[in-house]
Amino acid sequence: MKKLIDEYKLKFLDHLKTYKGYSDLTIKTYKEALDEALDIIEIVKEDDHILFNLMPYRIHISELQSKTISKKLSAVRSFGEYLKEMQIKVILKADESVKVAKTLPKPIAHKHIVEALQHADLQERLIITVLYTMGLRISELSNLQLNDISPQWVRVIGKGNKQRDIPVIESTKKILEEYLRDFSPKKFLFEKNGEKLSENSLRYIINKVFARISLKVTPHQLRHSYATSLLNGGAPIVDVSELLGHSSMATTQIYTKLGSALKKQNYDKAHPLCGVSS
């Protein structure tokens, strides 16, 4: 039984890469979660189905944060769904969901980003500027190719190989043109020795730049800063959702967390009875 499950685990990970378009980092996370879980979960063949008893595993991870537990169980759940698609009937026992508080990455103030850019070299400036003015995920930045860049737009290949076009603002365009002249990359925007810079290399560069002004900043915080700036500037949430590559506007609402004052301001503008005296 274990050999069969291991074979399908490898096929599942390949499915995530080939058909779902997941990043190498995400696939690594799934692999680590499944490697750990499948060593502890009780897997029993019963009549016409395979039973995955998750209780021993839930006990094993019970002291972790609820968000971490939820992610680990989600990997097992996804694997179970894949097995069902492969016509292998699987029943998950003790598969109750874990409630996770919705947390948000703290956006970085514009003044801090400007200050960091003043202490950055050309490549570092472009990396941070592209993330801040286009809202890319770090995986999308690593995979960004020259043939996806035009003077006015950048075509981004996001999750699930979904494409979206993001406008290039004038200040970004100037840095981009200078960078292309000086570095002359061949295929990917950010390269080293003919290979694209990895996500970890890009994270290291971002950490290094912001450390110069005594801040610890992640790529995801820059993406959040992009979204928050657009919404606070009055951009429609439907447009922001499309620019971020979200499949649902509900994700954008959680991600951006509009302040109550801005919600009230938008409501006053939108409702026909606002401003009408009684």
Side-chain angles (χ1 to χ4, degrees):
M1 177 65 67
K2 186 178 187 305
K3 184 178 178 182
L4 176 68
I5 296 299
D6 284 344
E7 287 176 0
Y8 273 101
K9 179 187 71 177
L10 294 175
K11 291 178 181 178
F12 170 63
L13 295 172
D14 183 64
H15 172 78
L16 295 182
K17 182 178 183 67
T18 305
Y19 296 100
K20 295 286 188 179
Y22 286 7
S23 70
D24 290 341
L25 182 62
T26 301
I27 292 168
K28 182 174 180 286
T29 302
Y30 269 83
K31 182 181 184 305
E32 290 174 350
L34 288 174
D35 285 347
E36 176 190 51
L38 294 174
D39 276 344
I40 300 171
I41 292 170
E42 291 180 355
I43 304 175
V44 183
K45 181 76 170 69
E46 291 189 351
D47 300 327
D48 64 338
H49 66 269
I50 298 173
L51 178 71
F52 279 28
N53 181 7
L54 273 59
M55 186 54 71
Y57 184 55
R58 293 187 75 119
I59 293 171
H60 178 75
I61 61 175
S62 61
E63 294 185 2
L64 300 176
Q65 292 184 355
S66 58
K67 190 173 182 180
T68 303
I69 294 172
S70 181
K71 284 183 177 180
K72 288 177 178 289
L73 294 177
S74 177
V76 176
R77 233 173 259 128
S78 297
F79 182 50
E81 289 301 317
Y82 172 76
L83 291 175
K84 290 175 185 177
E85 290 175 10
M86 297 296 104
Q87 307 305 312
I88 297 176
K89 188 176 180 183
V90 174
I91 295 176
L92 302 185
K93 184 179 178 182
D95 183 37
E96 296 80 12
S97 297
V98 177
K99 289 187 177 180
V100 179
K102 292 173 181 175
T103 58
L104 295 167
K106 187 177 180 181
I108 308 304
H110 175 73
K111 65 179 181 180
H112 294 319
I113 297 173
V114 171
E115 184 183 359
L117 289 172
Q118 292 170 349
H119 294 81
D121 64 26
L122 179 56
Q123 185 186 60
E124 293 167 344
R125 276 194 293 135
L126 184 60
I127 289 170
I128 292 168
T129 300
V130 168
L131 288 174
Y132 182 44
T133 64
M134 297 185 191
L136 270 60
R137 301 176 178 93
I138 192 67
S139 58
E140 294 168 346
L141 185 67
S142 176
N143 290 317
L144 192 58
Q145 297 187 28
L146 297 178
N147 58 15
D148 291 325
I149 301 172
S150 71
Q152 303 300 328
W153 298 87
V154 166
R155 174 153 291 178
V156 178
I157 312 299
K159 287 185 176 180
N161 286 322
K162 293 179 184 173
Q163 293 184 356
R164 67 186 191 276
D165 292 328
I166 302 176
V168 182
I169 64 173
E170 195 60 33
S171 58
T172 303
K173 184 180 176 182
K174 289 178 180 177
I175 301 172
L176 179 59
E177 289 173 346
E178 184 182 354
Y179 171 84
L180 292 175
R181 281 196 308 269
D182 289 5
F183 281 79
S184 301
K186 300 295 184 260
K187 181 179 179 182
F188 294 94
L189 182 58
F190 298 109
E191 295 178 339
K192 184 176 181 180
N193 299 326
E195 299 289 332
K196 69 179 181 182
L197 279 185
S198 67
E199 294 173 31
N200 285 338
S201 295
L202 290 167
R203 283 193 186 90
Y204 173 74
I205 290 170
I206 293 162
N207 288 337
K208 184 174 64 173
V209 173
F210 280 95
R212 293 172 190 151
I213 59 169
S214 303
L215 287 179
K216 187 175 181 181
V217 174
T218 67
H220 196 56
Q221 283 178 288
L222 291 172
R223 177 170 157 87
H224 187 46
S225 302
Y226 165 81
T228 304
S229 297
L230 288 177
L231 284 161
N232 287 345
I237 193 169
V238 64
D239 291 344
V240 177
S241 183
E242 184 177 337
L243 288 167
L244 289 170
H246 286 163
S247 56
S248 167
M249 274 197 297
T251 306
T252 314
Q253 288 170 328
I254 295 168
Y255 194 98
T256 52
K257 195 179 181 182
L258 279 168
S260 57
L262 185 58
K263 288 180 183 176
K264 177 69 167 59
Q265 178 184 330
N266 289 340
Y267 177 82
D268 289 344
K269 289 179 182 177
H271 199 283
L273 289 182
C274 287
V276 177
S277 302
S278 56

